[in-house]
Amino acid sequence: MRIITAKVITLAALPLLAAGCATTAAVDTDPLNAFAPVSDRTASVTGKQTVWVQSAEEARKVGDRVQALVRNRTVGPDTAVQVALLNNKGLQAAYADVGLSQAEVWQQSLLVNPTVSVGLTGVDPVRSIEATVANNILAVITRPKRMAIADTRLRQAQLRAAEETLRLAADTRRAWIDAVSAWERVAYLNQAQAAADAASELAKKLGETGAFTKTGQAREHVFYAELAGQTAEARMQARMAKEALTRLMGLWGSDLDYQVPNALPSLPKRPTAKRAIEAEALRNRVDLEVARLELEALARAYGLTSATRYLTDLDIVSGAEVEREEEDDGTTTTTTTPRIELDFVIPIFDSGQARLRKAELAYMRAANLLAEKAVNVRSEARSAYDGYRSSYDIARHYRNNVVPLRTTIEEESVLTYNGMITNTFELLADTRAKIGTIMLSLNAKRQFWLADVDLGTAVNGGGSGSSSAVATEVAAAGDGGGGH
């Protein structure tokens, strides 16, 4: 009698795994669908479109659109923000995190690949071949929890991408304000330098006639020289400010041929009223939502750690052993014996208490950080609104009170000088004082528009401690003429 034995272990005998496959929900693997919440969230705040470039063709279309927006054009704040959201490569790199998180959800949705073991002993493969297929049953049991954690991390990645988008929009708007304000200072200093040049020439001629002392002449000459230095420095700062804007918009080569307006827009008739600024910030801040999701993810991870505290690895091996006997007369008898094996780790040394403690402490840390973030968000919102209203009042004070008074003083000085009542010293001193007042007024207007951007970031998120929003009043600057 000859006995031939073959051991075959197959996954077909694993009804639990089959059930797991049957209940597997379809996972969306399209990266653009994962990016849609980012674009929707940022569009509702900025009013501008953002794209995640996925191919060379899309990159070409974006490049053509950017060229149409900036080449040989005077760029307003809204256009600058739109170009930055389309063309900034750092933002495109940040969007990759969304795809990575989506791929992790996809990965966690897949069942663990089975482990196949094949062994040969002897020379007769029919007699001596043994094969087993094993699968990690614990991975199937914990799969829903792992998918829930990965999904929470995906939502976090989407919010972080939205926050980066809002931050770029706010930084671009600030850079535009700085660039335009710098060129506005240059324009006024050029006018002031012409007046100082005339005063210096007048002082020289009066000195030649003996009507002006050498001290008075030197005073006017040095004022003109200092003003020339200030103008050169302001021109350099304006070029640097425009370069900062260019970097944020991701421009280079022929796309650098754009201009910005010569002056910031005027102050709005009245400031924006925010009666419930704290509640609005708590409702809209992106970074606060990220902190909430962090707490949710850690809570889910804490539950997973608790579920696998004692049992961290569980493998099941099942199938059948088939034995065939051949008699001397040629008849064959076949016997099938079911077989199942279970492999697991015995928690003798590591009972899981350390892992449980780490998960608990991580959760408590996240809870405290969330509470701190909520307190800070309230404070940032109040501070931003106070800065917004105060800077508006200061800028309006210079516009309505200080500058008109200085203008009146200068005009009256000219009249009295022509009437031989005011001397040259007083006239020139009044001119210098007006120049200083105008510069203070321009800076106050710049501070207001920056505070306007900061108010938006405090409400929506995306700033250095908050986020970015679009100031509707700033959009009026796009209508300004001229530029650099």
Coordinates of all heavy atoms in Angstrom, one line a residue, residues 133-225:
V133 N -1.4 29.0 4.4 CA -1.8 30.4 4.2 C -2.4 30.9 5.5 O -3.3 30.4 6.0 CB -2.8 30.5 3.0 CG1 -3.1 32.0 2.8 CG2 -2.3 29.9 1.8
A134 N -1.8 32.0 6.0 CA -2.2 32.6 7.3 C -2.6 34.0 7.0 O -2.1 34.7 6.2 CB -1.1 32.5 8.3
N135 N -3.5 34.5 7.9 CA -3.9 35.9 7.8 C -4.1 36.5 9.2 O -4.4 35.7 10.1 CB -5.3 36.0 7.0 CG -5.4 37.4 6.4 OD1 -5.1 38.4 7.0 ND2 -5.8 37.4 5.1
N136 N -3.8 37.8 9.3 CA -3.9 38.5 10.6 C -5.4 38.8 10.9 O -5.9 39.8 10.3 CB -3.0 39.7 10.6 CG -2.9 40.3 12.0 OD1 -3.7 40.1 12.9 ND2 -1.7 41.0 12.2
I137 N -6.0 38.0 11.8 CA -7.4 38.3 12.1 C -7.6 39.6 12.9 O -8.6 40.2 12.7 CB -7.9 37.1 12.9 CG1 -9.0 36.3 12.1 CG2 -8.5 37.4 14.2 CD1 -9.5 36.6 10.9
L138 N -6.6 40.0 13.7 CA -6.7 41.2 14.5 C -6.8 42.4 13.6 O -7.5 43.4 13.9 CB -5.6 41.3 15.5 CG -5.7 42.4 16.5 CD1 -6.9 42.1 17.4 CD2 -4.4 42.5 17.3
A139 N -6.1 42.4 12.5 CA -6.1 43.5 11.5 C -7.5 43.7 10.9 O -8.0 44.8 10.7 CB -5.1 43.3 10.4
V140 N -8.2 42.5 10.7 CA -9.6 42.6 10.2 C -10.5 43.2 11.3 O -11.4 44.0 11.0 CB -10.1 41.2 9.8 CG1 -11.5 41.3 9.3 CG2 -9.1 40.7 8.7
I141 N -10.3 42.8 12.5 CA -11.2 43.2 13.6 C -11.0 44.7 13.8 O -12.0 45.5 14.1 CB -10.9 42.4 14.9 CG1 -11.2 40.9 14.7 CG2 -11.7 43.0 16.0 CD1 -10.8 40.1 15.8
T142 N -9.8 45.2 13.8 CA -9.5 46.6 14.1 C -9.6 47.5 12.9 O -9.4 48.7 13.0 CB -8.1 46.8 14.7 OG1 -7.2 46.3 13.8 CG2 -8.0 46.0 16.0
R143 N -9.9 47.0 11.7 CA -9.9 47.8 10.5 C -10.9 48.9 10.5 O -10.5 50.1 10.1 CB -10.2 46.8 9.3 CG -10.4 47.6 8.0 CD -10.6 46.5 6.9 NE -11.1 47.1 5.7 CZ -12.4 47.3 5.5 NH1 -13.3 46.8 6.4 NH2 -12.8 47.8 4.4
P144 N -12.1 48.8 11.0 CA -13.0 50.0 11.1 C -12.5 51.1 11.9 O -12.6 52.3 11.6 CB -14.3 49.4 11.7 CG -14.3 48.0 11.3 CD -12.8 47.6 11.4
K145 N -11.8 50.8 13.1 CA -11.3 51.8 13.9 C -10.1 52.5 13.2 O -9.9 53.7 13.3 CB -10.8 51.2 15.3 CG -11.9 50.8 16.2 CD -11.4 50.3 17.5 CE -12.5 49.9 18.4 NZ -13.3 51.0 18.9
R146 N -9.3 51.7 12.6 CA -8.1 52.3 11.9 C -8.6 53.2 10.7 O -8.0 54.2 10.4 CB -7.2 51.2 11.4 CG -6.4 50.5 12.5 CD -5.4 49.5 12.0 NE -6.1 48.3 11.4 CZ -6.1 48.0 10.1 NH1 -5.6 48.8 9.2 NH2 -6.7 46.9 9.7
M147 N -9.6 52.8 10.0 CA -10.1 53.6 8.9 C -10.7 54.9 9.5 O -10.6 56.0 8.9 CB -11.2 52.9 8.2 CG -10.7 51.8 7.2 SD -12.0 51.1 6.2 CE -12.4 52.5 5.2
A148 N -11.4 54.9 10.6 CA -12.0 56.1 11.2 C -10.9 57.0 11.6 O -11.0 58.3 11.4 CB -12.8 55.7 12.4
I149 N -9.8 56.5 12.2 CA -8.6 57.4 12.5 C -8.0 58.0 11.3 O -7.7 59.2 11.2 CB -7.6 56.6 13.3 CG1 -8.1 56.1 14.6 CG2 -6.3 57.4 13.5 CD1 -7.2 55.2 15.4
A150 N -7.8 57.2 10.2 CA -7.3 57.8 9.0 C -8.2 58.8 8.4 O -7.7 59.8 7.8 CB -7.0 56.6 8.0
D151 N -9.5 58.6 8.5 CA -10.4 59.6 7.9 C -10.4 60.9 8.7 O -10.4 62.0 8.1 CB -11.9 59.0 8.0 CG -12.9 60.0 7.4 OD1 -12.9 60.2 6.2 OD2 -13.7 60.5 8.2
T152 N -10.2 60.8 10.0 CA -10.1 62.0 10.8 C -8.8 62.8 10.4 O -8.8 64.0 10.3 CB -10.0 61.7 12.3 OG1 -11.2 61.0 12.6 CG2 -10.0 62.9 13.1
R153 N -7.7 62.0 10.2 CA -6.4 62.6 9.8 C -6.6 63.3 8.4 O -6.0 64.3 8.1 CB -5.3 61.6 9.8 CG -5.0 61.0 11.1 CD -4.5 62.1 12.1 NE -4.1 61.5 13.4 CZ -3.8 62.3 14.4 NH1 -3.9 63.6 14.4 NH2 -3.4 61.7 15.5
L154 N -7.4 62.7 7.5 CA -7.6 63.3 6.2 C -8.3 64.6 6.4 O -8.0 65.6 5.7 CB -8.4 62.3 5.4 CG -9.0 62.9 4.0 CD1 -7.8 63.4 3.2 CD2 -9.8 61.9 3.3
R155 N -9.4 64.7 7.2 CA -10.1 65.9 7.5 C -9.1 67.0 8.0 O -9.2 68.2 7.7 CB -11.3 65.7 8.3 CG -12.4 65.0 7.6 CD -13.6 64.9 8.6 NE -13.4 63.8 9.5 CZ -13.9 63.8 10.8 NH1 -14.6 64.8 11.2 NH2 -13.7 62.8 11.6
Q156 N -8.2 66.5 8.9 CA -7.2 67.5 9.4 C -6.3 68.0 8.3 O -6.0 69.2 8.3 CB -6.3 66.8 10.5 CG -6.8 66.8 11.9 CD -5.8 66.3 12.9 OE1 -5.3 65.2 12.7 NE2 -5.5 67.1 13.9
A157 N -5.9 67.1 7.4 CA -5.0 67.6 6.3 C -5.7 68.5 5.4 O -5.1 69.5 4.9 CB -4.5 66.3 5.5
Q158 N -7.0 68.3 5.2 CA -7.8 69.2 4.4 C -7.9 70.6 5.1 O -7.7 71.7 4.4 CB -9.2 68.7 4.2 CG -9.2 67.5 3.3 CD -10.5 66.7 3.3 OE1 -11.3 66.8 4.2 NE2 -10.8 66.0 2.2
L159 N -8.1 70.6 6.4 CA -8.2 71.9 7.1 C -6.8 72.6 7.1 O -6.7 73.8 7.0 CB -8.7 71.7 8.5 CG -10.2 71.4 8.6 CD1 -10.5 71.0 10.0 CD2 -11.0 72.5 8.1
R160 N -5.7 71.8 7.3 CA -4.4 72.5 7.3 C -4.1 73.0 5.9 O -3.5 74.1 5.8 CB -3.3 71.4 7.7 CG -3.4 71.1 9.1 CD -2.1 70.4 9.6 NE -2.1 70.1 11.0 CZ -2.4 68.9 11.5 NH1 -2.7 67.9 10.7 NH2 -2.3 68.7 12.8
A161 N -4.5 72.3 4.8 CA -4.3 72.9 3.5 C -5.1 74.2 3.3 O -4.6 75.1 2.7 CB -4.7 71.8 2.4
A162 N -6.3 74.2 3.8 CA -7.1 75.4 3.7 C -6.5 76.5 4.5 O -6.5 77.7 4.1 CB -8.5 75.1 4.3
E163 N -5.9 76.2 5.7 CA -5.2 77.2 6.5 C -4.0 77.8 5.8 O -3.8 79.0 5.8 CB -4.8 76.6 7.8 CG -4.2 77.7 8.8 CD -3.9 77.1 10.1 OE1 -3.7 75.8 10.2 OE2 -3.8 77.8 11.1
E164 N -3.2 76.9 5.1 CA -2.1 77.4 4.3 C -2.6 78.3 3.2 O -1.9 79.3 2.8 CB -1.3 76.2 3.8 CG -0.5 75.5 4.8 CD 0.5 76.4 5.5 OE1 1.2 77.2 4.8 OE2 0.7 76.3 6.7
T165 N -3.7 77.9 2.6 CA -4.2 78.8 1.5 C -4.6 80.2 2.0 O -4.3 81.2 1.4 CB -5.4 78.1 0.8 OG1 -5.1 76.8 0.4 CG2 -5.9 78.9 -0.3
L166 N -5.3 80.2 3.1 CA -5.7 81.5 3.7 C -4.5 82.3 4.2 O -4.5 83.5 4.1 CB -6.6 81.2 4.9 CG -8.0 80.5 4.6 CD1 -8.8 80.3 5.9 CD2 -8.8 81.4 3.7
R167 N -3.5 81.6 4.7 CA -2.3 82.3 5.1 C -1.6 82.9 3.9 O -1.1 84.1 4.0 CB -1.3 81.3 5.8 CG 0.0 82.0 6.3 CD 0.9 81.0 7.1 NE 0.2 80.7 8.4 CZ -0.2 79.5 8.7 NH1 -0.2 78.5 7.8 NH2 -0.8 79.3 9.9
L168 N -1.5 82.2 2.8 CA -0.9 82.8 1.6 C -1.7 84.0 1.1 O -1.1 85.0 0.7 CB -0.8 81.7 0.5 CG -0.2 82.2 -0.8 CD1 1.2 82.7 -0.7 CD2 -0.3 81.1 -1.9
A169 N -3.0 83.8 1.1 CA -3.8 85.0 0.7 C -3.6 86.2 1.6 O -3.5 87.3 1.0 CB -5.3 84.6 0.7
A170 N -3.5 86.0 2.9 CA -3.3 87.1 3.8 C -1.9 87.7 3.6 O -1.7 89.0 3.5 CB -3.5 86.7 5.2
D171 N -0.9 86.9 3.5 CA 0.5 87.4 3.3 C 0.6 88.1 1.9 O 1.3 89.1 1.9 CB 1.5 86.2 3.3 CG 1.6 85.6 4.7 OD1 1.2 86.2 5.7 OD2 2.1 84.5 4.8
T172 N -0.1 87.6 0.9 CA 0.0 88.3 -0.4 C -0.7 89.7 -0.3 O -0.2 90.7 -0.8 CB -0.7 87.5 -1.4 OG1 -0.1 86.2 -1.5 CG2 -0.6 88.1 -2.8
R173 N -1.8 89.7 0.4 CA -2.5 91.0 0.5 C -1.7 92.0 1.4 O -1.6 93.2 1.0 CB -3.9 90.8 1.2 CG -4.8 92.0 1.0 CD -6.2 91.6 1.5 NE -6.8 90.7 0.5 CZ -7.5 91.1 -0.5 NH1 -7.6 92.4 -0.8 NH2 -8.1 90.3 -1.4
R174 N -1.0 91.5 2.4 CA -0.1 92.4 3.2 C 1.0 92.9 2.3 O 1.4 94.1 2.4 CB 0.4 91.7 4.4 CG -0.6 91.4 5.5 CD 0.1 90.8 6.7 NE -0.9 90.4 7.7 CZ -1.2 89.1 7.9 NH1 -0.7 88.2 7.1 NH2 -2.1 88.7 8.8
A175 N 1.6 92.0 1.5 CA 2.7 92.3 0.7 C 2.3 93.4 -0.4 O 3.1 94.3 -0.7 CB 3.3 91.1 0.0
W176 N 1.1 93.2 -0.9 CA 0.6 94.2 -1.8 C 0.4 95.6 -1.2 O 0.8 96.6 -1.7 CB -0.8 93.8 -2.4 CG -1.4 94.7 -3.4 CD1 -1.2 94.6 -4.8 CD2 -2.2 95.8 -3.2 NE1 -1.9 95.6 -5.4 CE2 -2.5 96.4 -4.4 CE3 -2.8 96.4 -2.1 CZ2 -3.3 97.5 -4.6 CZ3 -3.6 97.5 -2.2 CH2 -3.9 98.0 -3.4
I177 N -0.1 95.6 0.0 CA -0.3 96.9 0.8 C 1.1 97.5 1.0 O 1.3 98.7 0.8 CB -1.0 96.6 2.1 CG1 -2.5 96.2 1.9 CG2 -1.0 97.8 3.0 CD1 -3.2 95.7 3.1
D178 N 2.1 96.7 1.4 CA 3.4 97.2 1.7 C 4.0 97.8 0.4 O 4.7 98.9 0.4 CB 4.3 96.1 2.3 CG 4.0 95.8 3.7 OD1 3.4 96.7 4.4 OD2 4.3 94.7 4.2
A179 N 3.9 97.1 -0.7 CA 4.5 97.6 -2.0 C 3.8 98.9 -2.4 O 4.5 99.8 -2.8 CB 4.3 96.5 -3.0
V180 N 2.5 98.9 -2.4 CA 1.8 100.1 -2.8 C 2.1 101.3 -1.9 O 2.4 102.4 -2.4 CB 0.3 99.9 -2.9 CG1 -0.5 101.2 -3.3 CG2 0.0 98.8 -4.0
S181 N 2.1 101.0 -0.6 CA 2.4 102.1 0.4 C 3.8 102.6 0.2 O 4.1 103.8 0.3 CB 2.2 101.6 1.8 OG 2.6 102.5 2.7
A182 N 4.8 101.7 -0.1 CA 6.1 102.1 -0.4 C 6.3 103.0 -1.6 O 6.9 104.1 -1.5 CB 7.0 100.9 -0.5
W183 N 5.6 102.7 -2.7 CA 5.6 103.6 -3.8 C 4.9 104.9 -3.6 O 5.2 105.9 -4.2 CB 5.1 102.8 -5.0 CG 6.0 101.8 -5.6 CD1 5.9 100.5 -5.6 CD2 7.3 102.1 -6.2 NE1 7.0 99.9 -6.2 CE2 7.9 100.8 -6.5 CE3 8.0 103.2 -6.5 CZ2 9.1 100.7 -7.2 CZ3 9.3 103.1 -7.1 CH2 9.8 101.9 -7.4
E184 N 3.9 104.8 -2.8 CA 3.2 106.1 -2.4 C 4.1 107.0 -1.7 O 4.1 108.3 -1.9 CB 1.9 105.8 -1.6 CG 1.0 107.0 -1.4 CD -0.3 106.6 -0.7 OE1 -0.4 105.5 -0.2 OE2 -1.2 107.5 -0.7
R185 N 4.9 106.5 -0.8 CA 5.9 107.3 -0.1 C 6.9 107.9 -1.0 O 7.3 109.0 -0.9 CB 6.5 106.5 1.0 CG 5.7 106.2 2.2 CD 6.5 105.7 3.4 NE 7.2 104.5 3.1 CZ 6.8 103.3 3.3 NH1 5.5 103.1 3.7 NH2 7.5 102.2 3.0
V186 N 7.3 107.1 -2.0 CA 8.3 107.5 -3.0 C 7.7 108.7 -3.8 O 8.4 109.7 -4.0 CB 8.7 106.4 -3.9 CG1 9.6 106.9 -5.1 CG2 9.5 105.3 -3.1
A187 N 6.5 108.6 -4.2 CA 5.9 109.6 -5.0 C 5.8 110.9 -4.2 O 6.1 112.0 -4.7 CB 4.5 109.2 -5.4
Y188 N 5.4 110.8 -2.9 CA 5.3 112.1 -2.2 C 6.7 112.7 -1.9 O 6.9 113.9 -1.9 CB 4.6 111.9 -0.9 CG 4.4 113.2 -0.1 CD1 3.5 114.1 -0.5 CD2 5.3 113.4 1.0 CE1 3.4 115.3 0.2 CE2 5.2 114.6 1.7 CZ 4.3 115.6 1.3 OH 4.2 116.8 1.9
L189 N 7.7 111.8 -1.6 CA 9.0 112.3 -1.3 C 9.6 112.9 -2.6 O 10.4 113.9 -2.4 CB 9.9 111.1 -0.9 CG 9.7 110.7 0.6 CD1 10.6 109.4 0.9 CD2 10.1 111.8 1.6
N190 N 9.3 112.5 -3.7 CA 9.7 113.1 -5.0 C 9.2 114.5 -5.0 O 9.9 115.5 -5.4 CB 9.3 112.3 -6.2 CG 10.1 111.1 -6.4 OD1 11.3 111.0 -5.9 ND2 9.6 110.1 -7.0
Q191 N 7.9 114.7 -4.7 CA 7.3 116.1 -4.7 C 8.0 116.9 -3.6 O 8.3 118.1 -3.8 CB 5.8 116.0 -4.4 CG 5.0 115.2 -5.5 CD 3.6 115.0 -5.1 OE1 3.1 115.7 -4.1 NE2 2.9 114.2 -5.8
A192 N 8.2 116.3 -2.4 CA 8.8 117.1 -1.3 C 10.3 117.5 -1.7 O 10.8 118.6 -1.3 CB 8.8 116.3 0.0
Q193 N 10.9 116.6 -2.4 CA 12.3 116.9 -2.8 C 12.4 118.0 -3.7 O 13.3 118.9 -3.7 CB 13.0 115.6 -3.4 CG 14.5 115.8 -3.5 CD 15.1 114.5 -4.0 OE1 14.4 113.5 -4.3 NE2 16.4 114.4 -4.1
A194 N 11.4 118.1 -4.6 CA 11.4 119.3 -5.6 C 11.2 120.6 -4.8 O 11.9 121.6 -5.1 CB 10.3 119.1 -6.6
A195 N 10.3 120.6 -3.8 CA 10.1 121.8 -3.0 C 11.4 122.1 -2.1 O 11.8 123.2 -2.0 CB 8.9 121.6 -2.0
A196 N 12.0 121.0 -1.6 CA 13.2 121.2 -0.8 C 14.4 121.8 -1.7 O 15.2 122.6 -1.3 CB 13.7 119.9 -0.2
D197 N 14.4 121.3 -3.0 CA 15.4 121.8 -3.9 C 15.2 123.3 -4.2 O 16.2 124.1 -4.2 CB 15.3 121.0 -5.2 CG 16.4 121.4 -6.2 OD1 17.4 121.9 -5.7 OD2 16.2 121.1 -7.4
A198 N 13.9 123.7 -4.3 CA 13.7 125.1 -4.5 C 14.0 125.9 -3.3 O 14.6 127.0 -3.4 CB 12.2 125.3 -4.9
A199 N 13.7 125.4 -2.1 CA 14.1 126.1 -0.9 C 15.6 126.2 -0.8 O 16.1 127.3 -0.3 CB 13.5 125.4 0.3
S200 N 16.3 125.2 -1.1 CA 17.8 125.2 -1.0 C 18.3 126.2 -2.0 O 19.3 127.0 -1.6 CB 18.3 123.8 -1.3 OG 19.8 123.8 -1.3
E201 N 17.8 126.3 -3.2 CA 18.2 127.3 -4.2 C 17.9 128.7 -3.7 O 18.7 129.6 -3.9 CB 17.6 127.0 -5.5 CG 18.1 127.8 -6.7 CD 19.6 127.5 -7.0 OE1 20.0 126.4 -6.7 OE2 20.2 128.4 -7.5
L202 N 16.7 128.9 -3.1 CA 16.4 130.2 -2.6 C 17.3 130.6 -1.5 O 17.8 131.8 -1.4 CB 14.9 130.1 -2.1 CG 14.4 131.4 -1.4 CD1 14.4 132.6 -2.4 CD2 13.0 131.2 -0.9
A203 N 17.6 129.7 -0.6 CA 18.5 130.0 0.5 C 19.9 130.4 0.0 O 20.6 131.3 0.5 CB 18.7 128.8 1.4
K204 N 20.3 129.8 -1.1 CA 21.6 130.1 -1.7 C 21.6 131.5 -2.3 O 22.6 132.3 -2.1 CB 22.0 129.1 -2.8 CG 23.3 129.3 -3.5 CD 23.5 128.3 -4.6 CE 24.8 128.6 -5.3 NZ 25.1 127.6 -6.4
K205 N 20.6 131.8 -3.0 CA 20.5 133.2 -3.6 C 20.4 134.3 -2.5 O 21.0 135.3 -2.6 CB 19.3 133.3 -4.5 CG 19.5 132.4 -5.8 CD 18.3 132.5 -6.7 CE 18.5 131.7 -8.0 NZ 17.4 131.8 -8.9
L206 N 19.6 134.0 -1.5 CA 19.5 134.9 -0.4 C 20.8 135.1 0.3 O 21.2 136.2 0.8 CB 18.4 134.5 0.6 CG 16.9 134.6 0.1 CD1 16.0 134.0 1.1 CD2 16.6 136.0 -0.2
G207 N 21.5 134.0 0.4 CA 22.9 134.1 1.1 C 23.8 134.9 0.3 O 24.7 135.7 0.8
E208 N 23.7 134.9 -1.1 CA 24.6 135.7 -1.9 C 24.3 137.2 -1.8 O 25.2 138.0 -1.9 CB 24.4 135.2 -3.4 CG 24.9 133.8 -3.6 CD 24.6 133.4 -5.1 OE1 23.9 134.1 -5.7 OE2 25.1 132.3 -5.5
T209 N 23.1 137.5 -1.4 CA 22.7 138.9 -1.3 C 23.0 139.4 0.2 O 22.8 140.6 0.5 CB 21.2 139.2 -1.6 OG1 20.4 138.4 -0.7 CG2 20.9 138.7 -3.1
G210 N 23.3 138.5 1.0 CA 23.5 138.8 2.4 C 22.3 138.8 3.3 O 22.3 139.2 4.5
A211 N 21.1 138.4 2.7 CA 19.9 138.4 3.4 C 19.6 137.1 4.2 O 18.7 137.0 5.0 CB 18.7 138.6 2.5
F212 N 20.5 136.1 4.1 CA 20.4 134.8 4.7 C 21.7 134.4 5.3 O 22.8 134.5 4.6 CB 19.9 133.8 3.7 CG 19.0 132.8 4.3 CD1 18.2 133.0 5.4 CD2 19.0 131.5 3.7 CE1 17.3 132.0 5.9 CE2 18.1 130.5 4.2 CZ 17.3 130.8 5.3
T213 N 21.7 134.0 6.5 CA 23.0 133.7 7.2 C 23.5 132.3 6.7 O 22.7 131.5 6.0 CB 22.8 133.5 8.7 OG1 21.9 132.5 9.0 CG2 22.2 134.9 9.3
K214 N 24.8 132.1 6.9 CA 25.3 130.8 6.5 C 24.7 129.6 7.2 O 24.5 128.5 6.7 CB 26.8 130.8 6.8 CG 27.6 131.7 5.8 CD 29.1 131.6 6.0 CE 29.9 132.5 5.0 NZ 31.4 132.3 5.2
T215 N 24.3 129.9 8.5 CA 23.6 128.8 9.2 C 22.3 128.5 8.6 O 21.9 127.3 8.5 CB 23.4 129.3 10.7 OG1 24.7 129.6 11.3 CG2 22.7 128.2 11.5
G216 N 21.5 129.5 8.2 CA 20.3 129.3 7.5 C 20.4 128.5 6.2 O 19.7 127.6 5.9
Q217 N 21.5 128.9 5.5 CA 21.7 128.3 4.2 C 22.1 126.8 4.4 O 21.6 125.9 3.7 CB 22.9 129.0 3.5 CG 22.6 130.4 3.0 CD 23.8 131.0 2.3 OE1 24.3 130.5 1.3 NE2 24.3 132.1 2.9
A218 N 23.0 126.6 5.4 CA 23.4 125.2 5.7 C 22.2 124.3 6.1 O 22.1 123.1 5.8 CB 24.5 125.2 6.8
R219 N 21.3 125.0 6.9 CA 20.1 124.2 7.3 C 19.2 123.8 6.2 O 18.8 122.6 6.1 CB 19.3 125.1 8.3 CG 18.1 124.4 8.9 CD 17.3 125.3 9.8 NE 18.1 125.7 11.0 CZ 18.6 126.9 11.3 NH1 18.4 127.9 10.4 NH2 19.3 127.1 12.4
E220 N 19.0 124.6 5.2 CA 18.2 124.3 4.0 C 19.0 123.3 3.1 O 18.4 122.4 2.6 CB 17.8 125.5 3.2 CG 17.0 126.5 4.0 CD 15.8 125.8 4.6 OE1 15.1 124.9 3.9 OE2 15.4 126.0 5.8
H221 N 20.3 123.4 3.0 CA 21.0 122.5 2.1 C 21.0 121.1 2.7 O 20.9 120.1 2.0 CB 22.5 123.0 2.0 CG 22.6 124.3 1.2 ND1 21.7 124.7 0.2 CD2 23.5 125.3 1.2 CE1 22.0 125.8 -0.3 NE2 23.1 126.2 0.3
V222 N 21.2 121.0 4.1 CA 21.3 119.7 4.7 C 19.9 119.1 4.7 O 19.8 117.8 4.6 CB 21.8 119.8 6.1 CG1 20.8 120.4 7.1 CG2 22.3 118.4 6.6
F223 N 18.8 119.9 4.8 CA 17.5 119.3 4.7 C 17.2 118.7 3.3 O 16.7 117.6 3.2 CB 16.4 120.4 5.0 CG 15.0 119.9 4.8 CD1 14.4 119.0 5.6 CD2 14.3 120.4 3.7 CE1 13.1 118.6 5.4 CE2 13.0 120.0 3.5 CZ 12.4 119.1 4.4
Y224 N 17.7 119.4 2.3 CA 17.5 118.9 0.9 C 18.4 117.6 0.7 O 17.9 116.6 0.2 CB 18.0 119.9 -0.1 CG 18.1 119.4 -1.5 CD1 17.0 119.1 -2.3 CD2 19.3 119.1 -2.1 CE1 17.0 118.6 -3.5 CE2 19.4 118.6 -3.4 CZ 18.3 118.4 -4.1 OH 18.4 117.9 -5.4
A225 N 19.6 117.6 1.3 CA 20.5 116.4 1.2 C 19.9 115.2 1.9 O 19.9 114.1 1.4 CB 21.9 116.7 1.7

